[in-house]
Amino acid sequence: PVAYEAYLPGYAILGWTGKWDDLPAAHLSSIMFDLLCLLGIALVGLRFGGIRLAVTLAFAWVAYPFTLYVSSANTNDALPPLFLIWGFWLVTSPAARGAAVALSGWTKFASLLLAPLWASYPERRWRPARTFALAFLAATAVAFWILLLEPNPVHAARVFWDRTLGWQIGRDSPFSIWDWRQYHAGLPDLHLLQWVLEGLLVAGAAAAYFVPRRKSPLQLAALTAAILLGFQIVLTHWFYLYLPWFFPFAAFAVLAPVAEPVRARVTEPRERPRQELVGVE
């Protein structure tokens, strides 16, 4: 539902004629999504690496061909990273992380896999995890309030399921190797391997709650990118418009500075009695 609700500001500003015209409200919305991602990733860089990282990450976003393609194609694929970027900027707040994962996940389901990882930052503790869960549920309620406008909210929820996740589960697509058998005779059926990899992905996403025990922002970004990339690898209907979902976190993991290693203090060796040199110190 968030994917639709995010267009309401653009619709309120420019409206819609009811016809398939130039769709100015959709264009405006895509521009706003892109600019909010750009602003958010610059703030992330400013927080974790100063001006230099802010400029670097902002340049990486605008220079990446697939973020430009998403903006040019006027799709909603900048929305999932948008919420996660701002949640990462406020990463020390469990409530912000929970709301960000929920809003991103109810835009594109892939982000729901991040809940265990983001709930355990910077380490597993009951109170922050509870705050994360409450914020996740609150954001979910806000996202689904629109169902209450229907005469029968239960029926509306069923329609939502049928037309989103239920439809995606059995969807045919030529855009990944998992479904090529139906288009070309002689190709192997890879669905069994796909199911195994999907199981491993879910298990890995759950394990991220426990390992590593304590997570740094760099580790959180790297694992976020890895989980989202893993989701795309096992996805039947994959498209290159999905690449910006994980790109901000991959860019942060690669470009963010790491702490300088602590150098051992070098001291001049002193002469010691012969017996001190024997054995392991």
Side-chain angles (χ1 to χ4, degrees):
V2 179
Y4 296 94
E5 294 161 352
Y7 285 87
L8 292 178
Y11 173 77
I13 295 171
L14 296 179
W16 182 43
T17 62
K19 300 178 181 179
W20 189 270
D21 52 14
D22 291 335
L23 304 176
H27 292 309
L28 175 63
S29 298
S30 295
I31 293 171
M32 290 192 297
F33 301 157
D34 185 70
L35 292 178
L36 286 172
C37 285
L38 178 61
L39 175 60
I41 201 170
L43 290 175
V44 166
L46 187 64
R47 176 173 184 179
F48 293 103
I51 295 293
R52 181 173 183 176
L53 183 60
V55 173
T56 302
L57 290 178
F59 179 79
W61 177 266
V62 298
Y64 189 52
F66 294 102
T67 58
L68 176 63
Y69 185 62
V70 165
S71 179
S72 300
N74 296 290
T75 71
N76 61 7
D77 290 288
L79 276 175
L82 189 158
F83 294 116
L84 294 176
I85 288 169
W86 286 88
F88 191 82
W89 179 54
L90 301 171
V91 71
T92 52
S93 168
R97 297 197 309 272
V101 171
L103 293 175
S104 180
W106 297 124
T107 304
K108 303 287 185 178
F109 295 123
S111 299
L112 296 177
L113 289 171
L114 299 175
L117 171 65
W118 282 49
S120 62
Y121 176 88
E123 60 185 354
R124 302 190 310 274
R125 287 183 294 170
W126 162 244
R127 186 170 296 178
R130 181 184 62 184
T131 303
F132 177 95
L134 291 175
F136 183 97
L137 293 175
T140 298
V142 170
F144 282 91
W145 72 268
I146 196 170
L147 298 182
L148 299 178
L149 300 178
E150 291 289 327
N152 188 341
V154 176
H155 173 71
R158 178 57 186 268
V159 172
F160 168 79
W161 170 270
D162 291 340
R163 296 185 180 179
T164 55
L165 189 59
W167 177 67
Q168 291 284 358
I169 291 175
R171 184 178 186 179
D172 297 330
S173 175
F175 298 122
S176 71
I177 62 173
W178 311 116
D179 217 21
W180 280 359
R181 186 187 182 192
Q182 64 173 316
Y183 299 101
H184 301 281
L187 291 178
D189 186 350
L190 298 176
H191 283 107
L192 180 59
L193 175 60
Q194 182 186 20
W195 297 335
V196 171
L197 294 177
E198 288 172 348
L200 291 175
L201 173 66
V202 173
Y209 181 82
F210 302 96
V211 181
R213 185 184 64 82
R214 183 168 180 84
K215 302 171 179 67
S216 68
L218 190 64
Q219 289 172 319
L220 181 67
L223 289 171
T224 296
I227 290 173
L228 293 176
L229 180 57
F231 178 89
Q232 294 191 26
I233 289 175
V234 301
L235 193 62
T236 298
H237 183 76
W238 178 86
F239 210 54
Y240 32 82
L241 289 168
Y242 302 163
L243 291 173
W245 297 1
F246 66 83
F247 174 72
F249 303 97
F252 181 88
V254 171
L255 299 173
V258 296
E260 288 288 335
V262 178
R263 296 182 179 179
R265 186 173 57 183
V266 179
T267 58
E268 292 295 329
R270 60 182 179 87
E271 291 188 6
R272 290 178 293 178
R274 182 178 181 85
Q275 61 270 22
E276 292 185 10
L277 301 178
V278 179
V280 179
E281 295 183 354

